[in-house]
Amino acid sequence: EDQVTQSPEALRLQEGESSSLNCSYTVSGLRGLFWYRQDPGKGPEFLFTLYSAGEEKEKERLKATLTKKESFLHITAPKPEDSATYLCAVQAKSSNSGYALNFGKGTSLLVTP
Amino acid sequence: DVKVTQSSRYLVKRTGEKVFLECVQDMDHENMFWYRQDPGLGLRLIYFSYDVKMKEKGDIPEGYSVSREKKERFSLILESASTNQTSMYLCASSLIAGLLAKNIQYFGAGTRLSVL
């Protein structure tokens, strides 16, 4: 069974304090790994898609990387506006649910001034 | 920009009522999805549709049905609402199944449903 595990569940950082969020996955065949950001009371907002091990994507202070077993979301010099829940999801080649995403439970990030 | 619109942000219903949640996307996407999101459980797939009038069950379809009569609209129906269906419901759409670059799912803002 496909599984996605995110750690830590919650993370508190000082402004400017860089860190990484982890997403470990087990799937029978990875079609793609997705990162989303979700603000309270809102729907997830797409950040990145990674398709193969070794791939990296960057956007402002965020950088996502992918290995065969996990993905990291690196946050460099975060600002308070980066506070949100970050969701990782995988899309499996063998999924019986078409092209639906299998989500982790998320990491809640709080960046304090 | 892709826009996925859910008809209500907040709904309060009584146990046993029939509830309709509506979702409209404006980007001519083939695929549409309904998820529910609960604290500690994350997002779970209820139903999805890959074409008009086509639907497939997700991981937790019990107590729900769906309708897709037009490409842009996907409705989630709670036939007889129960308190354990109190949740945040999220609709999503994506362009084409099978093409990696086009498989990004875009989400609506969500409907927070309370069943009393």
PDB file of all heavy atoms in Angstrom, chain A residues 13-43:
ATOM      1  N   LEU A  13      10.192  28.155  13.661  1.00  0.00           N
ATOM      2  CA  LEU A  13      11.481  28.728  13.293  1.00  0.00           C
ATOM      3  C   LEU A  13      11.490  30.218  13.587  1.00  0.00           C
ATOM      4  O   LEU A  13      10.450  30.887  13.516  1.00  0.00           O
ATOM      5  CB  LEU A  13      11.769  28.524  11.800  1.00  0.00           C
ATOM      6  CG  LEU A  13      11.865  27.082  11.287  1.00  0.00           C
ATOM      7  CD1 LEU A  13      11.982  27.077   9.769  1.00  0.00           C
ATOM      8  CD2 LEU A  13      13.069  26.381  11.913  1.00  0.00           C
ATOM      9  N   GLN A  14      12.673  30.705  13.884  1.00  0.00           N
ATOM     10  CA  GLN A  14      12.861  32.160  13.947  1.00  0.00           C
ATOM     11  C   GLN A  14      13.040  32.665  12.510  1.00  0.00           C
ATOM     12  O   GLN A  14      13.561  31.949  11.643  1.00  0.00           O
ATOM     13  CB  GLN A  14      14.114  32.495  14.751  1.00  0.00           C
ATOM     14  CG  GLN A  14      14.003  32.215  16.228  1.00  0.00           C
ATOM     15  CD  GLN A  14      13.450  33.410  16.981  1.00  0.00           C
ATOM     16  OE1 GLN A  14      13.254  34.477  16.426  1.00  0.00           O
ATOM     17  NE2 GLN A  14      13.186  33.227  18.269  1.00  0.00           N
ATOM     18  N   GLU A  15      12.623  33.873  12.288  1.00  0.00           N
ATOM     19  CA  GLU A  15      12.841  34.478  10.972  1.00  0.00           C
ATOM     20  C   GLU A  15      14.316  34.396  10.614  1.00  0.00           C
ATOM     21  O   GLU A  15      15.179  34.748  11.429  1.00  0.00           O
ATOM     22  CB  GLU A  15      12.376  35.926  10.987  1.00  0.00           C
ATOM     23  CG  GLU A  15      12.458  36.614   9.633  1.00  0.00           C
ATOM     24  CD  GLU A  15      11.804  37.984   9.650  1.00  0.00           C
ATOM     25  OE1 GLU A  15      11.339  38.416  10.722  1.00  0.00           O
ATOM     26  OE2 GLU A  15      11.763  38.627   8.590  1.00  0.00           O
ATOM     27  N   GLY A  16      14.614  33.902   9.409  1.00  0.00           N
ATOM     28  CA  GLY A  16      15.995  33.774   8.972  1.00  0.00           C
ATOM     29  C   GLY A  16      16.649  32.445   9.295  1.00  0.00           C
ATOM     30  O   GLY A  16      17.754  32.164   8.812  1.00  0.00           O
ATOM     31  N   GLU A  17      15.980  31.616  10.085  1.00  0.00           N
ATOM     32  CA  GLU A  17      16.542  30.320  10.500  1.00  0.00           C
ATOM     33  C   GLU A  17      16.164  29.250   9.478  1.00  0.00           C
ATOM     34  O   GLU A  17      15.028  28.768   9.444  1.00  0.00           O
ATOM     35  CB  GLU A  17      16.011  29.952  11.888  1.00  0.00           C
ATOM     36  CG  GLU A  17      16.516  28.625  12.416  1.00  0.00           C
ATOM     37  CD  GLU A  17      15.835  28.244  13.717  1.00  0.00           C
ATOM     38  OE1 GLU A  17      14.937  29.004  14.185  1.00  0.00           O
ATOM     39  OE2 GLU A  17      16.163  27.167  14.260  1.00  0.00           O
ATOM     40  N   SER A  18      17.075  28.824   8.673  1.00  0.00           N
ATOM     41  CA  SER A  18      16.798  27.850   7.608  1.00  0.00           C
ATOM     42  C   SER A  18      16.551  26.452   8.173  1.00  0.00           C
ATOM     43  O   SER A  18      17.111  26.089   9.218  1.00  0.00           O
ATOM     44  CB  SER A  18      17.975  27.815   6.628  1.00  0.00           C
ATOM     45  OG  SER A  18      18.172  29.085   6.055  1.00  0.00           O
ATOM     46  N   SER A  19      15.743  25.669   7.473  1.00  0.00           N
ATOM     47  CA  SER A  19      15.461  24.310   7.903  1.00  0.00           C
ATOM     48  C   SER A  19      14.906  23.501   6.734  1.00  0.00           C
ATOM     49  O   SER A  19      14.771  24.017   5.616  1.00  0.00           O
ATOM     50  CB  SER A  19      14.461  24.325   9.063  1.00  0.00           C
ATOM     51  OG  SER A  19      14.295  23.023   9.617  1.00  0.00           O
ATOM     52  N   SER A  20      14.606  22.241   6.999  1.00  0.00           N
ATOM     53  CA  SER A  20      14.067  21.358   5.967  1.00  0.00           C
ATOM     54  C   SER A  20      12.889  20.564   6.497  1.00  0.00           C
ATOM     55  O   SER A  20      12.874  20.173   7.669  1.00  0.00           O
ATOM     56  CB  SER A  20      15.146  20.374   5.489  1.00  0.00           C
ATOM     57  OG  SER A  20      16.216  21.052   4.882  1.00  0.00           O
ATOM     58  N   LEU A  21      11.922  20.342   5.618  1.00  0.00           N
ATOM     59  CA  LEU A  21      10.792  19.474   5.903  1.00  0.00           C
ATOM     60  C   LEU A  21      10.999  18.184   5.118  1.00  0.00           C
ATOM     61  O   LEU A  21      11.469  18.210   3.977  1.00  0.00           O
ATOM     62  CB  LEU A  21       9.476  20.122   5.468  1.00  0.00           C
ATOM     63  CG  LEU A  21       9.227  21.571   5.891  1.00  0.00           C
ATOM     64  CD1 LEU A  21       7.861  22.022   5.435  1.00  0.00           C
ATOM     65  CD2 LEU A  21       9.403  21.733   7.381  1.00  0.00           C
ATOM     66  N   ASN A  22      10.588  17.064   5.727  1.00  0.00           N
ATOM     67  CA  ASN A  22      10.818  15.771   5.101  1.00  0.00           C
ATOM     68  C   ASN A  22       9.520  15.116   4.666  1.00  0.00           C
ATOM     69  O   ASN A  22       8.496  15.227   5.342  1.00  0.00           O
ATOM     70  CB  ASN A  22      11.550  14.843   6.072  1.00  0.00           C
ATOM     71  CG  ASN A  22      11.763  13.457   5.488  1.00  0.00           C
ATOM     72  OD1 ASN A  22      10.997  12.539   5.757  1.00  0.00           O
ATOM     73  ND2 ASN A  22      12.786  13.312   4.677  1.00  0.00           N
ATOM     74  N   CYS A  23       9.564  14.429   3.541  1.00  0.00           N
ATOM     75  CA  CYS A  23       8.436  13.635   3.059  1.00  0.00           C
ATOM     76  C   CYS A  23       8.979  12.280   2.625  1.00  0.00           C
ATOM     77  O   CYS A  23       9.692  12.198   1.607  1.00  0.00           O
ATOM     78  CB  CYS A  23       7.750  14.340   1.896  1.00  0.00           C
ATOM     79  SG  CYS A  23       6.471  13.361   1.083  1.00  0.00           S
ATOM     80  N   SER A  24       8.682  11.249   3.388  1.00  0.00           N
ATOM     81  CA  SER A  24       9.105   9.889   3.031  1.00  0.00           C
ATOM     82  C   SER A  24       7.945   9.173   2.367  1.00  0.00           C
ATOM     83  O   SER A  24       6.800   9.314   2.811  1.00  0.00           O
ATOM     84  CB  SER A  24       9.529   9.112   4.285  1.00  0.00           C
ATOM     85  OG  SER A  24      10.625   9.731   4.897  1.00  0.00           O
ATOM     86  N   TYR A  25       8.233   8.412   1.335  1.00  0.00           N
ATOM     87  CA  TYR A  25       7.134   7.759   0.622  1.00  0.00           C
ATOM     88  C   TYR A  25       7.500   6.339   0.239  1.00  0.00           C
ATOM     89  O   TYR A  25       8.672   6.010   0.039  1.00  0.00           O
ATOM     90  CB  TYR A  25       6.751   8.567  -0.631  1.00  0.00           C
ATOM     91  CG  TYR A  25       7.839   8.647  -1.682  1.00  0.00           C
ATOM     92  CD1 TYR A  25       7.915   7.704  -2.695  1.00  0.00           C
ATOM     93  CD2 TYR A  25       8.782   9.675  -1.656  1.00  0.00           C
ATOM     94  CE1 TYR A  25       8.911   7.774  -3.657  1.00  0.00           C
ATOM     95  CE2 TYR A  25       9.779   9.747  -2.607  1.00  0.00           C
ATOM     96  CZ  TYR A  25       9.843   8.808  -3.606  1.00  0.00           C
ATOM     97  OH  TYR A  25      10.827   8.872  -4.558  1.00  0.00           O
ATOM     98  N   THR A  26       6.479   5.513   0.151  1.00  0.00           N
ATOM     99  CA  THR A  26       6.615   4.177  -0.423  1.00  0.00           C
ATOM    100  C   THR A  26       5.484   4.006  -1.421  1.00  0.00           C
ATOM    101  O   THR A  26       4.306   4.091  -1.063  1.00  0.00           O
ATOM    102  CB  THR A  26       6.555   3.072   0.638  1.00  0.00           C
ATOM    103  OG1 THR A  26       5.351   3.237   1.413  1.00  0.00           O
ATOM    104  CG2 THR A  26       7.739   3.128   1.586  1.00  0.00           C
ATOM    105  N   VAL A  27       5.851   3.832  -2.665  1.00  0.00           N
ATOM    106  CA  VAL A  27       4.865   3.614  -3.720  1.00  0.00           C
ATOM    107  C   VAL A  27       5.390   2.527  -4.639  1.00  0.00           C
ATOM    108  O   VAL A  27       6.596   2.328  -4.769  1.00  0.00           O
ATOM    109  CB  VAL A  27       4.588   4.889  -4.543  1.00  0.00           C
ATOM    110  CG1 VAL A  27       3.883   5.925  -3.709  1.00  0.00           C
ATOM    111  CG2 VAL A  27       5.860   5.454  -5.142  1.00  0.00           C
ATOM    112  N   SER A  28       4.501   1.868  -5.313  1.00  0.00           N
ATOM    113  CA  SER A  28       4.899   0.800  -6.228  1.00  0.00           C
ATOM    114  C   SER A  28       5.579   1.357  -7.465  1.00  0.00           C
ATOM    115  O   SER A  28       6.393   0.695  -8.095  1.00  0.00           O
ATOM    116  CB  SER A  28       3.677  -0.039  -6.606  1.00  0.00           C
ATOM    117  OG  SER A  28       2.633   0.808  -7.032  1.00  0.00           O
ATOM    118  N   GLY A  29       5.244   2.557  -7.820  1.00  0.00           N
ATOM    119  CA  GLY A  29       5.905   3.214  -8.949  1.00  0.00           C
ATOM    120  C   GLY A  29       5.530   4.676  -8.914  1.00  0.00           C
ATOM    121  O   GLY A  29       4.353   5.009  -8.949  1.00  0.00           O
ATOM    122  N   LEU A  30       6.507   5.551  -8.815  1.00  0.00           N
ATOM    123  CA  LEU A  30       6.206   6.970  -8.636  1.00  0.00           C
ATOM    124  C   LEU A  30       5.951   7.631  -9.980  1.00  0.00           C
ATOM    125  O   LEU A  30       6.803   7.629 -10.868  1.00  0.00           O
ATOM    126  CB  LEU A  30       7.371   7.660  -7.921  1.00  0.00           C
ATOM    127  CG  LEU A  30       7.150   9.144  -7.608  1.00  0.00           C
ATOM    128  CD1 LEU A  30       6.077   9.307  -6.547  1.00  0.00           C
ATOM    129  CD2 LEU A  30       8.462   9.791  -7.160  1.00  0.00           C
ATOM    130  N   ARG A  31       4.760   8.225 -10.076  1.00  0.00           N
ATOM    131  CA  ARG A  31       4.475   9.015 -11.279  1.00  0.00           C
ATOM    132  C   ARG A  31       4.930  10.457 -11.057  1.00  0.00           C
ATOM    133  O   ARG A  31       5.437  11.098 -11.957  1.00  0.00           O
ATOM    134  CB  ARG A  31       2.983   8.960 -11.589  1.00  0.00           C
ATOM    135  CG  ARG A  31       2.581   9.640 -12.880  1.00  0.00           C
ATOM    136  CD  ARG A  31       1.081   9.585 -13.061  1.00  0.00           C
ATOM    137  NE  ARG A  31       0.567   8.228 -13.155  1.00  0.00           N
ATOM    138  CZ  ARG A  31       0.511   7.522 -14.280  1.00  0.00           C
ATOM    139  NH1 ARG A  31       0.941   8.031 -15.402  1.00  0.00           N
ATOM    140  NH2 ARG A  31       0.006   6.304 -14.257  1.00  0.00           N
ATOM    141  N   GLY A  32       4.723  10.945  -9.829  1.00  0.00           N
ATOM    142  CA  GLY A  32       5.143  12.298  -9.509  1.00  0.00           C
ATOM    143  C   GLY A  32       4.973  12.568  -8.033  1.00  0.00           C
ATOM    144  O   GLY A  32       4.143  11.941  -7.370  1.00  0.00           O
ATOM    145  N   LEU A  33       5.785  13.486  -7.500  1.00  0.00           N
ATOM    146  CA  LEU A  33       5.657  13.919  -6.114  1.00  0.00           C
ATOM    147  C   LEU A  33       5.356  15.405  -6.126  1.00  0.00           C
ATOM    148  O   LEU A  33       5.994  16.176  -6.852  1.00  0.00           O
ATOM    149  CB  LEU A  33       6.931  13.615  -5.326  1.00  0.00           C
ATOM    150  CG  LEU A  33       6.850  13.930  -3.827  1.00  0.00           C
ATOM    151  CD1 LEU A  33       7.559  12.868  -2.997  1.00  0.00           C
ATOM    152  CD2 LEU A  33       7.384  15.311  -3.508  1.00  0.00           C
ATOM    153  N   PHE A  34       4.379  15.809  -5.331  1.00  0.00           N
ATOM    154  CA  PHE A  34       3.874  17.178  -5.359  1.00  0.00           C
ATOM    155  C   PHE A  34       4.026  17.810  -3.980  1.00  0.00           C
ATOM    156  O   PHE A  34       3.778  17.165  -2.960  1.00  0.00           O
ATOM    157  CB  PHE A  34       2.380  17.182  -5.734  1.00  0.00           C
ATOM    158  CG  PHE A  34       2.091  16.627  -7.104  1.00  0.00           C
ATOM    159  CD1 PHE A  34       2.138  15.270  -7.343  1.00  0.00           C
ATOM    160  CD2 PHE A  34       1.765  17.480  -8.142  1.00  0.00           C
ATOM    161  CE1 PHE A  34       1.875  14.754  -8.600  1.00  0.00           C
ATOM    162  CE2 PHE A  34       1.494  16.970  -9.408  1.00  0.00           C
ATOM    163  CZ  PHE A  34       1.543  15.608  -9.622  1.00  0.00           C
ATOM    164  N   TRP A  35       4.372  19.082  -3.972  1.00  0.00           N
ATOM    165  CA  TRP A  35       4.357  19.881  -2.759  1.00  0.00           C
ATOM    166  C   TRP A  35       3.306  20.973  -2.898  1.00  0.00           C
ATOM    167  O   TRP A  35       3.229  21.655  -3.932  1.00  0.00           O
ATOM    168  CB  TRP A  35       5.721  20.522  -2.488  1.00  0.00           C
ATOM    169  CG  TRP A  35       6.739  19.590  -1.905  1.00  0.00           C
ATOM    170  CD1 TRP A  35       7.734  18.931  -2.568  1.00  0.00           C
ATOM    171  CD2 TRP A  35       6.882  19.234  -0.526  1.00  0.00           C
ATOM    172  NE1 TRP A  35       8.474  18.170  -1.688  1.00  0.00           N
ATOM    173  CE2 TRP A  35       7.976  18.345  -0.424  1.00  0.00           C
ATOM    174  CE3 TRP A  35       6.194  19.570   0.641  1.00  0.00           C
ATOM    175  CZ2 TRP A  35       8.403  17.791   0.789  1.00  0.00           C
ATOM    176  CZ3 TRP A  35       6.614  19.020   1.840  1.00  0.00           C
ATOM    177  CH2 TRP A  35       7.707  18.142   1.916  1.00  0.00           C
ATOM    178  N   TYR A  36       2.514  21.121  -1.822  1.00  0.00           N
ATOM    179  CA  TYR A  36       1.504  22.165  -1.754  1.00  0.00           C
ATOM    180  C   TYR A  36       1.703  22.956  -0.470  1.00  0.00           C
ATOM    181  O   TYR A  36       2.167  22.438   0.534  1.00  0.00           O
ATOM    182  CB  TYR A  36       0.089  21.575  -1.741  1.00  0.00           C
ATOM    183  CG  TYR A  36      -0.394  21.038  -3.066  1.00  0.00           C
ATOM    184  CD1 TYR A  36      -0.060  19.752  -3.485  1.00  0.00           C
ATOM    185  CD2 TYR A  36      -1.210  21.807  -3.893  1.00  0.00           C
ATOM    186  CE1 TYR A  36      -0.515  19.254  -4.689  1.00  0.00           C
ATOM    187  CE2 TYR A  36      -1.674  21.318  -5.108  1.00  0.00           C
ATOM    188  CZ  TYR A  36      -1.318  20.038  -5.494  1.00  0.00           C
ATOM    189  OH  TYR A  36      -1.775  19.547  -6.692  1.00  0.00           O
ATOM    190  N   ARG A  37       1.246  24.187  -0.519  1.00  0.00           N
ATOM    191  CA  ARG A  37       1.168  25.029   0.665  1.00  0.00           C
ATOM    192  C   ARG A  37      -0.303  25.264   0.967  1.00  0.00           C
ATOM    193  O   ARG A  37      -1.100  25.533   0.061  1.00  0.00           O
ATOM    194  CB  ARG A  37       1.869  26.364   0.391  1.00  0.00           C
ATOM    195  CG  ARG A  37       1.621  27.409   1.455  1.00  0.00           C
ATOM    196  CD  ARG A  37       2.060  28.781   1.038  1.00  0.00           C
ATOM    197  NE  ARG A  37       1.588  29.755   2.008  1.00  0.00           N
ATOM    198  CZ  ARG A  37       2.371  30.643   2.605  1.00  0.00           C
ATOM    199  NH1 ARG A  37       3.670  30.687   2.315  1.00  0.00           N
ATOM    200  NH2 ARG A  37       1.871  31.489   3.470  1.00  0.00           N
ATOM    201  N   GLN A  38      -0.683  25.181   2.253  1.00  0.00           N
ATOM    202  CA  GLN A  38      -2.064  25.433   2.628  1.00  0.00           C
ATOM    203  C   GLN A  38      -2.119  26.423   3.777  1.00  0.00           C
ATOM    204  O   GLN A  38      -1.578  26.169   4.853  1.00  0.00           O
ATOM    205  CB  GLN A  38      -2.795  24.136   3.004  1.00  0.00           C
ATOM    206  CG  GLN A  38      -4.285  24.339   3.232  1.00  0.00           C
ATOM    207  CD  GLN A  38      -5.017  23.042   3.484  1.00  0.00           C
ATOM    208  OE1 GLN A  38      -4.443  22.054   3.925  1.00  0.00           O
ATOM    209  NE2 GLN A  38      -6.312  23.026   3.192  1.00  0.00           N
ATOM    210  N   ASP A  39      -2.791  27.529   3.553  1.00  0.00           N
ATOM    211  CA  ASP A  39      -3.031  28.514   4.610  1.00  0.00           C
ATOM    212  C   ASP A  39      -4.330  28.160   5.334  1.00  0.00           C
ATOM    213  O   ASP A  39      -5.220  27.536   4.741  1.00  0.00           O
ATOM    214  CB  ASP A  39      -3.106  29.913   4.012  1.00  0.00           C
ATOM    215  CG  ASP A  39      -1.758  30.354   3.459  1.00  0.00           C
ATOM    216  OD1 ASP A  39      -0.797  30.400   4.251  1.00  0.00           O
ATOM    217  OD2 ASP A  39      -1.648  30.622   2.251  1.00  0.00           O
ATOM    218  N   PRO A  40      -4.457  28.571   6.587  1.00  0.00           N
ATOM    219  CA  PRO A  40      -5.654  28.206   7.364  1.00  0.00           C
ATOM    220  C   PRO A  40      -6.946  28.592   6.659  1.00  0.00           C
ATOM    221  O   PRO A  40      -7.092  29.721   6.183  1.00  0.00           O
ATOM    222  CB  PRO A  40      -5.468  28.987   8.669  1.00  0.00           C
ATOM    223  CG  PRO A  40      -3.989  29.162   8.788  1.00  0.00           C
ATOM    224  CD  PRO A  40      -3.493  29.333   7.390  1.00  0.00           C
ATOM    225  N   GLY A  41      -7.877  27.640   6.588  1.00  0.00           N
ATOM    226  CA  GLY A  41      -9.180  27.915   6.002  1.00  0.00           C
ATOM    227  C   GLY A  41      -9.188  28.013   4.493  1.00  0.00           C
ATOM    228  O   GLY A  41     -10.206  28.401   3.909  1.00  0.00           O
ATOM    229  N   LYS A  42      -8.089  27.666   3.848  1.00  0.00           N
ATOM    230  CA  LYS A  42      -8.012  27.762   2.386  1.00  0.00           C
ATOM    231  C   LYS A  42      -7.640  26.419   1.779  1.00  0.00           C
ATOM    232  O   LYS A  42      -7.211  25.497   2.459  1.00  0.00           O
ATOM    233  CB  LYS A  42      -6.990  28.818   1.983  1.00  0.00           C
ATOM    234  CG  LYS A  42      -7.360  30.224   2.424  1.00  0.00           C
ATOM    235  CD  LYS A  42      -6.411  31.246   1.833  1.00  0.00           C
ATOM    236  CE  LYS A  42      -6.834  32.647   2.225  1.00  0.00           C
ATOM    237  NZ  LYS A  42      -5.928  33.683   1.650  1.00  0.00           N
ATOM    238  N   GLY A  43      -7.800  26.323   0.454  1.00  0.00           N
ATOM    239  CA  GLY A  43      -7.403  25.108  -0.243  1.00  0.00           C
ATOM    240  C   GLY A  43      -5.908  25.076  -0.485  1.00  0.00           C
ATOM    241  O   GLY A  43      -5.238  26.106  -0.451  1.00  0.00           O
TER     242      GLY A  43
END
